Amino acid sequence: MATIKDVAKQAGVSVSVVSKALNDYEDINDKTKKRILKIAEELNYTPNLAGRNLSSKKRMTIGLISSAVFNTNKKDTNAYEVIKGIYTGVDEEQLELAIFLMDSQKQKQKSYTQFCRERNIGGAILHGLRTDDPYFKELLDTNIPCVNIDFRTDSQAENVGSVAIDNKTAGEEMADHLLTRGHRDIAIMAGTEETFVNIERLQGVKQGFEKHNVDFPESAVLYADFSEEKAYELAKDYLAEHRPTAFLCFSDLMVYGVMKAVTEAGLKVPDDLSLIGFDDIPFSAITHPPLTTVHQDFFEIGRQAAKLLMDIMKDYHFENHVVVDHELIERESVKDLNES
Amino acid sequence: MATIKDVAKQAGVSVSVVSKALNDYEDINDKTKKRILKIAEELNYTPNLAGRNLSSKKRMTIGLISSAVFNTNKKDTNAYEVIKGIYTGVDEEQLELAIFLMDSQKQKQKSYTQFCRERNIGGAILHGLRTDDPYFKELLDTNIPCVNIDFRTDSQAENVGSVAIDNKTAGEEMADHLLTRGHRDIAIMAGTEETFVNIERLQGVKQGFEKHNVDFPESAVLYADFSEEKAYELAKDYLAEHRPTAFLCFSDLMVYGVMKAVTEAGLKVPDDLSLIGFDDIPFSAITHPPLTTVHQDFFEIGRQAAKLLMDIMKDYHFENHVVVDHELIERESVKDLNES
DNA sequence: CTGTTAGCGCGTTCAT
DNA sequence: ATGAACGCGCTAACAG
């Protein structure tokens, strides 16, 4: 493989001139620059990244640190879309992406900071980490730029950002959707209690109830940790003693669990019981019935995270927290009680 | 961040001794080794990968070159599982994973060989590439170890391997499953014609027909390029003129397309028409009806690909082509015609 | 067993 | 505008 030396020799100049030609320096003759570029092309030269990484002050690689990939149900492809988005964003600016994935098992295996140092990482995108994760805090305390996905810290640090949809508003819209259609006995299948998105969505739902002057049913809030199985169990138990007209779920996956329990109870969706979900994972459009749910553009979330991080790294950003659009998609899992 | 120099200084030895201590060399005093390791620990030292990469002959990073990620339907999570498997395998041997993704658009943007050279990559896993891709051939022609997923070259090269299920046998099992249950008018929804897996599966299906002494319906073979939409279109057209008792599909995604056409034609699955698929993507278990399909363990395929590649890189392998188990999962989309 | 030296491929001063 | 020299952090020969 051709090195910078080969190009220099071929061009009859020193390596430093070649380096300057390649890196768009000003103090170089235009003709020699073109000549060098041409020779580099001919020799099929591309700079070795390890060499560049070592000598350059510029950090060219971005880290993705995620527990979302291995901690989720096989049907949950959200993290997949996020990664694609991140890759796309990083790729657009010709940077490298280094990936660090873990599950709860090896959560404590290696410090994220260490991961970043080892690779000369210039900034990291954090996805699915627990806020009480010590390594998470450690990383936030370094001056390595970070962007959190689906989580917003109070940290006023200039180099920490976040990307998410407006979960609160989305929660309010869900409640409004149900309430407007006459539902009054609503059970809430929430996610993991301490989680940022869960807190936001729940607040939003409460706001929705307030606007409609309906008492919020505190006792009808179930926490299923975003798990399909757990949602199934909880719904089954709940249905044994109650008969709500609707379940408001904080993820489509939990809707599937609930739907199973509903079906087993001999009830029909949406005739006997309505269901509204969150995420709009691809299959929610073809379930029976198709799901009414809040659509999240995970690809865009990932892409925006990459863009924000790169902006922070370049010290060229106006806002540390970007909000991606969401949309409540109305399909066929919610019945309008006013019509019957 | 602590460098090897800091450790050396602290330990009162030269850097080379530290290097040897860290890399398990023999010719080093056990006590000093332990002392160095302890100090490294205290200083929270971890070697910089760029430095190591540059000086070491050993290649520590593996490349994943895939067009499968961006070329597929959102419902298709096969490539996601493959990546998880690869990551897991690579991680187990403490190597790095560098990822190169492309879609058909930027297919020609950058040479895979170049990608590998730039990063001092020791071996690459290839997924979803077209066999007529010039960069694919170029890479195979270097002496960089390669493992193909779902594709087997004739190349007898020692450093080229492959991982896949036994697609031929799987195809035969599918045909057998249908034929045994009395189906005689079977349409085949095949994938992309020139594709390796497609060819293998088709051969297998033909073998199945032969074993049952049933003429293979050449004219009933449709090629839908593994696309849900295309399968829908083709099935719709086909159903306008024919009424087979079953569709044998080379992917679950295509089953979904066919199912849509079937439903629109006013037919019921499996009562009026049986469906058998391939892949067993997560949602095929909860469709209506649940799908009978050939289960592929994509995670394991990815993991085996990583393992095989690392074995080839260590020059410690006995077989260049590994076959991962598959299983025909019987659910409810195939009707037994003998019973009626 | 340890230290010295060289070099991996590149970016970056600082002279010239 | 160009080149010489240095260093990034590390491994690898080789000498002692």
Side-chain angles (χ1 to χ4, degrees), chain A residues 44 91 96 101 106 119, chain B residues 87 91 96 106 114 119:
Chain A
N44 202 10
D91 203 44
E96 288 292 298
L101 308 178
K106 54 175 228 185
R119 290 161 186 75
Chain B
Y87 183 92
D91 203 45
E96 288 293 297
K106 55 176 228 183
Q114 216 165 78
R119 290 160 186 78

Side-chain angles (χ1 to χ4, degrees), chain B residues 130-167:
Chain B
R130 296 178 51 111
T131 56
D132 59 356
D133 182 336
Y135 288 137
F136 174 69
K137 289 179 184 163
E138 179 197 41
L139 182 57
L140 253 31
D141 283 343
T142 68
N143 51 10
I144 298 174
C146 289
V147 167
N148 296 309
I149 288 180
D150 273 353
F151 177 72
R152 190 159 170 168
T153 58
D154 340 299
S155 154
Q156 287 304 317
E158 260 304 305
N159 49 7
V160 175
S162 77
V163 176
I165 63 161
D166 184 343
N167 283 286

Side-chain angles (χ1 to χ4, degrees), chain B residues 113-251:
Chain B
T113 308
Q114 216 165 78
F115 172 82
C116 291
R117 304 280 197 218
E118 285 175 358
R119 290 160 186 78
N120 299 151
I121 275 174
I125 297 172
L126 280 19
H127 189 202
L129 304 186
R130 296 178 51 111
T131 56
D132 59 356
D133 182 336
Y135 288 137
F136 174 69
K137 289 179 184 163
E138 179 197 41
L139 182 57
L140 253 31
D141 283 343
T142 68
N143 51 10
I144 298 174
C146 289
V147 167
N148 296 309
I149 288 180
D150 273 353
F151 177 72
R152 190 159 170 168
T153 58
D154 340 299
S155 154
Q156 287 304 317
E158 260 304 305
N159 49 7
V160 175
S162 77
V163 176
I165 63 161
D166 184 343
N167 283 286
K168 200 182 288 185
T169 300
E172 186 176 332
E173 289 167 3
M174 293 172 86
D176 178 70
H177 188 84
L178 256 24
L179 262 8
T180 302
R181 282 158 186 74
H183 292 271
R184 286 299 175 273
D185 192 352
I186 300 172
I188 319 281
M189 190 60 78
T192 307
E193 191 161 5
E194 332 78 65
T195 271
F196 179 78
V197 295
N198 192 73
I199 293 170
E200 293 275 305
R201 289 173 197 173
L202 201 53
Q203 279 186 14
V205 170
K206 286 182 185 173
Q207 279 182 19
F209 274 78
E210 270 178 34
K211 283 205 180 166
H212 281 263
N213 286 315
V214 177
D215 280 344
F216 181 76
E218 287 288 358
S219 63
V221 179
L222 279 21
Y223 294 96
D225 293 336
F226 295 110
S227 146
E228 183 178 357
E229 291 71 28
K230 199 155 181 187
Y232 164 70
E233 297 294 346
L234 287 177
K236 197 165 78 172
D237 293 351
Y238 191 81
L239 289 172
E241 307 195 346
H242 308 77
R243 185 94 336 154
T245 63
F247 265 95
L248 184 160
C249 305
F250 283 1
S251 80

